[in-house]
Amino acid sequence: QVQLVESGGGLVEPGGSLRLSCVGSGKVPNFYTVGWYRQAPGKQRELVANIIDDFATKYAESVKGRFTAGTDNAMNAYLQLTKLKPEDTGVYYCNAQLPSRFAALNLPANYWGPGTQVTVSS
Protein backbone atom coordinates (compact mmCIF):
# COMPACT_ATOMS: atom_id res chain seq x y z
CA GLN A 1 0.00 0.00 0.00
CA VAL A 2 1.53 3.28 -1.11
CA GLN A 3 1.10 6.28 1.16
CA LEU A 4 2.39 9.82 0.87
CA VAL A 5 2.92 11.99 3.94
CA GLU A 6 3.66 15.70 3.90
CA SER A 7 5.45 17.64 6.63
CA GLY A 8 6.96 21.07 7.20
CA GLY A 9 3.88 23.26 7.27
CA GLY A 10 3.30 25.90 9.88
CA LEU A 11 2.64 29.55 10.67
CA VAL A 12 4.98 32.06 9.07
CA GLU A 13 5.01 35.82 8.63
CA PRO A 14 4.70 37.42 5.19
CA GLY A 15 8.05 37.33 3.43
CA GLY A 16 9.10 34.21 5.31
CA SER A 17 10.06 30.76 4.07
CA LEU A 18 9.11 27.14 4.62
CA ARG A 19 10.27 23.83 3.22
CA LEU A 20 7.68 21.13 2.74
CA SER A 21 8.63 17.50 2.41
CA CYS A 22 6.77 14.52 1.02
CA VAL A 23 7.80 11.01 1.96
CA GLY A 24 6.38 7.93 0.31
CA SER A 25 5.91 4.65 2.12
CA GLY A 26 5.58 1.62 -0.04
CA LYS A 27 6.96 1.96 -3.55
CA VAL A 28 5.71 4.54 -6.00
CA PRO A 29 6.77 3.50 -9.50
CA ASN A 30 9.40 5.94 -10.74
CA PHE A 31 7.39 6.76 -13.86
CA TYR A 32 4.75 8.55 -11.78
CA THR A 33 5.07 12.34 -11.95
CA VAL A 34 5.21 14.19 -8.64
CA GLY A 35 3.40 17.41 -7.96
CA TRP A 36 2.26 19.79 -5.25
CA TYR A 37 -1.25 21.19 -4.93
CA ARG A 38 -2.84 23.53 -2.45
CA GLN A 39 -6.34 24.34 -1.33
CA ALA A 40 -7.26 27.62 0.28
CA PRO A 41 -10.38 27.93 2.44
CA GLY A 42 -13.48 28.08 0.26
CA LYS A 43 -11.51 27.48 -2.94
CA GLN A 44 -10.80 24.55 -5.21
CA ARG A 45 -7.57 22.61 -5.04
CA GLU A 46 -5.05 24.06 -7.49
CA LEU A 47 -1.76 22.92 -8.95
CA VAL A 48 1.29 24.63 -7.46
CA ALA A 49 4.13 22.73 -9.11
CA ASN A 50 4.46 19.64 -11.29
CA ILE A 51 7.84 17.93 -11.55
CA ILE A 52 7.80 16.68 -15.12
CA ASP A 53 11.30 15.20 -15.12
CA ASP A 54 14.81 15.94 -13.87
CA PHE A 55 15.04 18.98 -16.08
CA ALA A 56 11.60 20.53 -16.09
CA THR A 57 9.11 21.65 -13.49
CA LYS A 58 5.90 23.50 -14.25
CA TYR A 59 4.79 26.17 -11.76
CA ALA A 60 1.59 28.11 -11.27
CA GLU A 61 2.05 31.72 -12.35
CA SER A 62 1.33 32.94 -8.82
CA VAL A 63 4.34 31.09 -7.36
CA LYS A 64 6.93 31.39 -10.13
CA GLY A 65 10.21 32.76 -8.81
CA ARG A 66 9.18 32.10 -5.21
CA PHE A 67 8.62 28.34 -4.95
CA THR A 68 10.98 25.55 -5.97
CA ALA A 69 9.96 21.91 -6.26
CA GLY A 70 12.19 18.90 -6.60
CA THR A 71 13.08 15.42 -5.45
CA ASP A 72 16.06 14.45 -3.35
CA ASN A 73 18.31 11.45 -3.75
CA ALA A 74 15.86 9.28 -1.86
CA MET A 75 13.19 10.18 -4.40
CA ASN A 76 11.26 12.04 -1.77
CA ALA A 77 9.75 15.32 -2.89
CA TYR A 78 10.14 18.80 -1.48
CA LEU A 79 8.65 22.21 -2.04
CA GLN A 80 10.69 25.23 -0.99
CA LEU A 81 8.45 28.23 -0.33
CA THR A 82 10.02 31.70 -0.14
CA LYS A 83 8.71 35.27 -0.10
CA LEU A 84 5.45 33.93 1.26
CA LYS A 85 2.29 35.98 0.96
CA PRO A 86 -0.99 35.73 2.89
CA GLU A 87 -2.65 34.40 -0.27
CA ASP A 88 -0.33 31.38 -0.13
CA THR A 89 -2.25 30.18 2.93
CA GLY A 90 -3.84 26.79 2.51
CA VAL A 91 -3.41 23.07 2.85
CA TYR A 92 -0.58 21.78 0.68
CA TYR A 93 -0.82 18.29 -0.79
CA CYS A 94 1.76 16.03 -2.35
CA ASN A 95 0.57 14.08 -5.38
CA ALA A 96 1.96 11.24 -7.48
CA GLN A 97 0.18 10.89 -10.81
CA LEU A 98 0.24 8.13 -13.40
CA PRO A 99 1.11 9.59 -16.83
CA SER A 100 -1.58 8.89 -19.42
CA ARG A 101 0.80 6.88 -21.59
CA PHE A 102 0.88 4.22 -18.83
CA ALA A 103 -2.91 3.98 -18.46
CA ALA A 104 -2.94 0.45 -19.86
CA LEU A 105 -1.00 -0.78 -16.82
CA ASN A 106 -4.18 -0.48 -14.74
CA LEU A 107 -2.42 1.22 -11.85
CA PRO A 108 -3.94 3.85 -9.54
CA ALA A 109 -4.22 7.18 -11.34
CA ASN A 110 -3.24 9.22 -8.30
CA TYR A 111 -1.76 8.96 -4.84
CA TRP A 112 -2.38 11.81 -2.38
CA GLY A 113 -1.02 12.71 0.99
CA PRO A 114 -3.29 14.00 3.80
CA GLY A 115 -1.88 17.53 3.44
CA THR A 116 0.03 19.99 5.61
CA GLN A 117 -1.29 23.40 6.66
CA VAL A 118 0.59 26.54 5.67
CA THR A 119 -0.58 29.80 7.22
CA VAL A 120 0.98 33.11 6.25
CA SER A 121 -0.01 35.85 8.64
CA SER A 122 1.46 38.63 10.72
Side-chain angles (χ1 to χ4, degrees):
Q1 181 73 22
V2 172
Q3 289 185 324
L4 304 178
V5 180
E6 304 92 341
S7 63
L11 173 63
V12 63
E13 293 185 346
S17 300
L18 285 172
R19 183 180 176 96
L20 308 183
S21 296
C22 174
V23 176
S25 63
K27 185 172 177 61
V28 179
N30 58 11
F31 48 80
Y32 274 66
T33 60
V34 177
W36 289 90
Y37 289 73
R38 68 184 178 190
Q39 187 165 19
K43 295 188 177 181
Q44 290 188 331
R45 191 173 298 188
E46 62 175 354
L47 176 68
V48 175
N50 186 31
I51 304 168
I52 299 170
D53 55 35
D54 290 345
F55 306 101
T57 301
K58 178 180 178 181
Y59 295 95
E61 285 296 324
S62 60
V63 307
K64 279 184 179 178
R66 301 188 298 120
F67 292 7
T68 303
T71 56
D72 62 21
N73 290 332
M75 295 305 294
N76 298 317
Y78 66 86
L79 182 67
Q80 182 71 43
L81 293 69
T82 65
K83 302 176 184 178
L84 282 161
K85 304 176 181 179
E87 52 263 43
D88 294 319
T89 294
V91 179
Y92 283 69
Y93 299 91
C94 178
N95 167 263
Q97 186 175 70
L98 180 69
S100 59
R101 64 187 183 276
F102 295 109
L105 296 178
N106 199 30
L107 293 171
N110 285 282
Y111 293 107
W112 291 96
T116 185
Q117 176 71 45
V118 171
T119 303
V120 185
S121 175
S122 55

